[in-house]
Amino acid sequence: METLLTVKDLKVHFPITKGILSRTKGYVYAVDGISFALNEGETLGIVGESGCGKTTAGLAILRLIKPTDGRVVFQGKDMSRMTKPEKQNLRREMQIIFQDPYSSLNPRMTLNRTLSDPMKIHGIYHGTERKERVAYLLEKVGLTPEQGRRYPHEFSGGQRQRIGVARALALNPQIIIGDEPVSALDVSIQAQIINLLIDLQDEFQLSYIIISHDLAVVEYICDRIAVMYLGKIVEMSVYRDMYADPRHPYTQALLSAVPVPDLNAKSKRIILGGDVPSPINPPSGCRFHPRCPHCMDICPQEEPELKDLGDEHWVACHLC
């Protein structure tokens, strides 16, 4: 299996400015040095609490926001060194499904125009062929070509997210990043969209990065999972190992909060003390140590490296 995308030491630091001269007084360390690889046909899940930096990481990979440092390599080419035409072509290869299916759509554009405009901008599919492509995409996501004349406000939340999926497919991408693609939907609709993404992945040979806080969704759709905490990846593994044998205390706490559909099951909920530290002034050493129930003397002093424990199970913890 070939590597399609490589992220190396990616950092996104947002400056904090004050005063009339807007001088920089500090930084928000939203993403602070994450590394991973995405293989062809694979689905990688990125999970963590709100504010951990997972959405910012996805936007930085797509160059929707400019990274502070680090490299993103797509098919052997460093995106930071690409020419403008190369970056334009790259837009076709990497697409995103946004969290809010309503605010991500232009309320003044019909569904047909929403799907056809990207094709027009990139110069693919012309005339009748473009209309046929739009109708084909609508049918693939469970809508009808007749609905293409309608506006976003005429669709339900689930239908609007289907439109978002169709738009992501419009340019035949290789990678789709789903930023909480089902969190704004009802549970029954969530299952429909997830199954739709799985079916489309097989047909269109797609690779996914699914950003979510819902561990049940991630377990169902993802091949590998990366757990983020305060801008860092603390654990990464194939989903079976992650759920069967979590090594990092933060991952163990997250999984203990997942509801179990069994009345006789005895859950051992791990309650973390304190609040999530501010990304403006993250703790020294291991960033999880102020809330960790197994904190040792070395934890506040030395930052643990993300090490391979075998079988592609990576953990950043002094306990391991």
Side-chain angles (χ1 to χ4, degrees), residues 89-105:
N89 292 331
L90 182 66
R91 294 293 182 191
R92 293 177 50 182
E93 305 295 341
M94 303 172 68
Q95 294 291 309
I96 185 170
I97 302 171
F98 293 99
Q99 178 177 359
D100 187 348
Y102 187 71
S103 63
S104 64
L105 299 173

Side-chain angles (χ1 to χ4, degrees), residues 299-312:
C299 296
Q301 301 173 8
E302 183 178 332
E303 182 177 343
E305 296 181 6
L306 190 65
K307 295 183 178 180
D308 188 1
L309 302 183
D311 296 328
E312 297 186 0

Side-chain angles (χ1 to χ4, degrees), residues 229-273:
Y229 182 81
L230 214 60
K232 295 278 190 179
I233 291 179
V234 297
E235 187 166 3
M236 183 166 54
S237 174
V238 296
Y239 80 96
R240 289 189 180 90
D241 291 344
M242 184 73 73
Y243 283 81
D245 186 25
R247 299 295 185 87
H248 198 280
Y250 177 63
T251 308
Q252 295 170 359
L254 286 181
L255 292 176
S256 73
V258 177
V260 179
D262 186 356
L263 295 176
N264 297 321
K266 295 182 179 180
S267 61
K268 297 180 179 179
R269 178 72 185 274
I270 300 175
I271 306 297
L272 298 176

Side-chain angles (χ1 to χ4, degrees), residues 12 65 80 115 133 142 163 167 171 183 195 216 222 227 248 275 300-301 307 319:
V12 182
I65 57 176
S80 64
L115 299 182
R133 175 67 177 176
I163 298 170
R167 182 176 58 183
L171 301 178
S183 64
N195 288 328
C222 294
V227 181
H248 198 280
D275 298 323
Q301 301 173 8
K307 295 183 178 180
L319 290 172

